[in-house]
Amino acid sequence: MRYRYSLDINTSAAQLFDCLTSTAKLKDWMDGLVSIEPSRIKKRKLKARQQLIFKDDKGKLIIKEQVIAFESNKVLGLKWDSDQMEVEVHYEILPAKHSELCRLHVQAKATFFPKYLNILSFLIGSVLKRQWTEDLRRLKIFAERSASN
């Protein structure tokens, strides 16, 4: 399953990148994220590994995360692994038409486990895509509010 989404955010590239990389800020825009382990990691950086723990009404999901691409204020690439899926997601911050804006472009590719679930990826993927889109909308609101403070 593939996902692509772009949105303009009224903040600087540095502020947006901080929202993407500061582990203390992830809970403000990633729905269901309850903790990050190890807690000593304060910023995502190249080759960093951590676990993201999510909870919802269906239970707990642990995602092992590794930073696979990092260019300050421009690019963040992540690999997420769980029992149910493997995801590579890339965030790219680009200049928008107006200098006070930046454009966030997100691309992701997910593979589901067991492998036969990939046949149903259009069903499973629609739920995941909706969740990611809602998270990115929350990121936009959070980043714009953070910039105005």
Side-chain angles (χ1 to χ4, degrees):
M1 181 215 67
R2 295 186 183 274
Y3 173 79
R4 290 176 190 234
Y5 192 78
S6 295
L7 70 162
D8 290 336
I9 301 177
N10 190 15
T11 191
S12 68
Q15 178 68 36
L16 178 56
F17 199 74
D18 185 58
C19 292
L20 288 168
T21 58
S22 174
T23 56
K25 295 179 179 181
L26 297 180
K27 290 181 192 176
D28 292 314
W29 61 272
M30 293 182 85
D31 190 41
L33 180 62
V34 292
S35 66
I36 300 167
E37 297 174 0
S39 58
R40 72 178 183 280
I41 296 175
K42 303 299 179 203
K43 287 274 204 189
R44 287 169 159 164
K45 59 185 176 184
L46 191 60
K47 297 184 182 178
R49 293 176 184 263
Q50 60 190 9
Q51 289 188 30
L52 308 177
I53 294 111
F54 292 86
K55 283 189 182 175
D56 64 12
D57 56 346
K58 295 176 188 130
K60 183 169 145 178
L61 174 66
I62 298 173
I63 295 178
K64 295 174 187 170
E65 176 184 88
Q66 180 182 5
V67 179
I68 57 174
F70 188 97
E71 187 177 344
S72 188
N73 301 331
K74 292 182 181 179
V75 174
L76 178 65
L78 304 170
K79 182 177 179 185
W80 294 330
D81 287 309
S82 75
D83 294 338
Q84 302 151 351
M85 67 183 161
E86 178 180 287
V87 177
E88 275 197 27
V89 61
H90 293 270
Y91 300 90
E92 184 177 14
I93 300 172
L94 305 166
K97 292 180 182 178
H98 302 288
S99 60
E100 70 276 2
L101 294 175
C102 55
R103 173 162 284 212
L104 179 63
H105 182 68
V106 182
Q107 293 186 84
K109 180 182 177 192
T111 305
F112 301 101
F113 304 117
K115 290 286 188 185
Y116 71 83
L117 288 177
N118 288 295
I119 297 167
L120 302 173
S121 67
F122 65 95
L123 293 173
I124 302 165
S126 65
V127 173
L128 193 55
K129 288 176 181 181
R130 187 169 43 252
Q131 178 65 48
W132 286 343
T133 300
E134 290 171 8
D135 282 350
L136 291 171
R137 289 179 181 151
R138 275 191 294 280
L139 172 61
K140 174 183 171 60
I141 292 166
F142 178 71
E144 289 176 348
R145 284 185 185 154
S146 297
S148 64
N149 291 337

